[in-house]
Amino acid sequence: MRKLDELDELISEYERGKMDRRTFIKKAIVMGLTITSINAFLSSGGKVIQNAFAQTPPPGKPANITVGFFPTWVGGWSGVVIKHRELWKKYLPAGSKVDWDIQVVGPPIVANLMANKSQIGYMGDMPALVATTKRSIADLRIVEINLFSDTGQICSCMLVRSDAPQFKDIDEAIRWLDGKKIGISGKGSCGDRFVSSLVRKTNIKPDVQYLDPTIIKTSLQAKKIDAAQSFQPHVAQIMNHGFGRLIFTGSKWAAQDANFILMRKDFIDQYPEAAKGWVKADIEALEFIMKNPYETVKMVAQELPGFTTKDLWMALYGHYPENTGSMETNVIAQVGFDKNVMEFIDESFKFLHSRGAITIDKPLPGAIHTDLVDTAIKEMKVKIPLGRIKGLPLKEFKEK
């Protein structure tokens, strides 16, 4: 564990009241901090002491970049952590500047990448893969898979309206869905992939309606649809506010979901150190997310005023209801591209091709640009995947 991580953990324990002042001072001195910096921290807050371990930015040409993410999708949360903890200052060449393109849905992020209004974007699996096929407009490359769910518990979630029957099991719930109005968060999306697979495997014939994620919430609440696929953190918010109930996730059918980080190829070529530095910053952000659940959701809540910290905690860290066929693991902090990920990408391309979303059924050469993440992993001496985030019972959530 790097020293800055140890320092974060020490500060976190002290601020949560798990360590007294005397013990904190002793441990900080052992770590090499001066009395002056310790006193400055105790009197004015953590940034002073953290700066004692601040890493010198790497050499390279400074870059002015805009980064897009949408916090209404858990796949963008490592971007939130980079923003709030200013991790980019640690890993990008000195003099670099970062602006933020924060959206409520993914399509504007793709559009801004295409138009070179942004150079880096956090994107759900389906739109990210489609974006790599538009080279006549812009050459976009997938450089990292920050989150991967081999249980389908990011996007493959099925909800029913609050007055739906109480089903004795998943099979009964599926029979009830036959002929019902089901909202899906976008054609050619991760939700479309899940519901299409469900229809094929169960032979049900629902009335499918493609809706914006926010419209799905209001439609469930107003009983205009019977059921809906949605993704986190919308799912947790729908459940917590009583708009609908989760009846199952895609775990029963081996569904998989992911988030990718895309970069413009011209940005990678012109600013290789900044591009690699961003991947490193994201790796550190993922490490923070795994170790600091409540601190993470507090940051995300600042970007999402309509969501409570409980909504956000449940979305990533909460255990799904027992009767939904869900698994222990919610997401994997994946980072790199292993065999399972590449197989997932190949299958996703076939799905997108079958839906007419793209004209090819496999990635273009270099679309999965692994050089940056492979180098970052080696230089940071981390093993991938970084770890799994497993669902915790609600009693573990505590406001601080």
Side-chain angles (χ1 to χ4, degrees):
M1 182 185 294
R2 294 183 299 280
K3 244 180 182 179
L4 189 58
D5 292 329
E6 294 174 355
L7 179 60
D8 284 338
E9 189 171 334
L10 180 68
I11 291 172
S12 179
E13 287 187 16
Y14 176 72
E15 291 179 338
R16 294 200 306 267
K18 293 186 176 182
M19 182 183 300
D20 60 35
R21 183 185 179 99
R22 183 185 296 272
T23 303
F24 173 80
I25 292 172
K26 285 182 178 179
K27 290 192 174 184
I29 291 172
V30 169
M31 291 181 66
L33 291 164
T34 66
I35 294 296
T36 300
S37 63
I38 294 170
N39 287 336
F41 164 75
L42 294 172
S43 62
S44 64
K47 284 193 175 181
V48 173
I49 194 169
Q50 286 172 324
N51 286 341
F53 278 131
Q55 179 174 306
T56 302
K61 184 166 60 171
N64 293 339
I65 59 177
T66 299
V67 180
F69 66 83
F70 59 115
T72 48
W73 163 254
V74 295
W77 287 9
S78 55
V80 175
V81 172
I82 293 173
K83 178 189 175 190
H84 283 257
R85 290 178 60 79
E86 298 186 328
L87 296 178
W88 60 272
K89 292 183 178 180
K90 177 178 176 181
Y91 292 105
L92 270 60
S96 295
K97 295 180 181 179
V98 176
D99 290 319
W100 302 93
D101 174 30
I102 303 172
Q103 303 286 346
V104 295
V105 291
I109 296 174
V110 174
N112 288 339
L113 282 168
M114 294 283 186
N116 201 20
K117 293 180 180 179
S118 59
Q119 292 71 46
I120 302 173
Y122 288 70
M123 192 72 51
D125 44 32
M126 297 296 100
L129 295 173
V130 171
T132 67
T133 69
K134 309 296 183 181
R135 287 193 184 170
S136 61
I137 304 172
D139 189 351
L140 303 181
R141 306 295 177 103
I142 290 174
V143 300
E144 182 190 343
I145 173 170
N146 59 337
L147 289 186
F148 181 51
S149 178
D150 59 359
T151 58
Q153 288 171 203
I154 301 177
C155 182
S156 304
C157 301
M158 184 64 71
L159 303 118
V160 293
R161 52 197 247 181
S162 58
D163 63 346
Q166 296 289 337
F167 308 110
K168 67 179 181 181
D169 55 31
I170 292 175
D171 290 339
E172 183 180 9
I174 290 171
R175 290 193 294 272
W176 183 84
L177 290 174
D178 193 20
K180 298 295 193 297
K181 292 181 180 178
I182 298 181
I184 299 176
S185 55
K187 190 171 184 179
S189 65
C190 55
D192 190 18
R193 179 189 60 214
F194 168 54
V195 176
S196 297
S197 175
L198 180 69
V199 167
R200 186 176 67 253
K201 292 176 180 178
T202 61
N203 295 316
I204 62 172
K205 293 180 174 58
D207 176 9
V208 169
Q209 300 182 9
Y210 295 105
L211 303 171
D212 177 271
T214 302
I215 300 300
I216 281 178
K217 275 186 278 194
T218 57
S219 296
L220 277 173
Q221 184 181 19
K223 313 295 191 294
K224 291 183 178 179
I225 55 176
D226 302 300
Q229 166 278 330
S230 193
F231 52 82
Q232 294 289 15
H234 292 290
V235 173
Q237 187 187 51
I238 288 169
M239 294 167 62
N240 282 339
H241 292 259
F243 301 155
R245 305 193 323 268
L246 182 71
I247 53 171
F248 55 77
T249 68
S251 297
K252 180 179 172 68
W253 296 275
Q256 296 177 319
D257 310 316
N259 186 80
F260 295 115
I261 298 176
L262 292 92
M263 293 185 184
R264 289 181 60 93
K265 181 60 164 55
D266 51 10
F267 167 71
I268 297 171
D269 292 341
Q270 293 172 34
Y271 301 97
E273 287 300 324
K276 180 179 67 175
W278 192 270
V279 173
K280 288 184 174 183
D282 194 79
I283 290 172
E284 181 166 330
L286 289 170
E287 292 175 329
F288 182 88
I289 287 171
M290 289 190 296
K291 296 173 185 174
N292 302 279
Y294 189 69
E295 290 77 4
T296 297
V297 299
K298 280 199 298 184
M299 293 177 194
V300 178
Q302 293 179 50
E303 306 288 347
L304 291 176
F307 290 74
T308 67
T309 52
K310 181 181 176 182
D311 294 337
L312 301 172
W313 185 91
M314 285 182 61
L316 188 58
Y317 303 103
H319 189 274
Y320 284 69
E322 294 293 340
N323 60 349
T324 58
S326 305
M327 300 296 181
E328 182 181 38
T329 296
N330 287 341
V331 298
I332 303 168
Q334 177 66 38
V335 180
F337 299 89
D338 59 17
K339 181 175 180 289
N340 289 338
V341 170
M342 295 309 298
E343 289 177 352
F344 166 73
I345 290 172
D346 288 343
E347 289 301 315
S348 296
F349 261 89
K350 292 175 184 176
F351 164 74
L352 290 166
H353 182 256
S354 73
R355 301 294 283 177
I358 55 177
T359 58
I360 56 177
D361 62 359
K362 59 184 178 181
L364 291 170
I368 314 303
H369 187 90
T370 63
D371 293 354
L372 296 174
V373 72
D374 288 346
T375 303
I377 290 167
K378 182 178 179 180
E379 292 181 359
M380 295 181 77
K381 297 181 173 59
V382 297
K383 293 182 179 180
I384 62 160
L386 297 178
R388 290 175 174 262
I389 295 179
K390 297 180 179 180
L392 299 171
L394 186 57
K395 65 181 181 181
E396 296 294 327
F397 172 78
K398 295 179 177 65
E399 294 276 7
K400 298 178 184 178

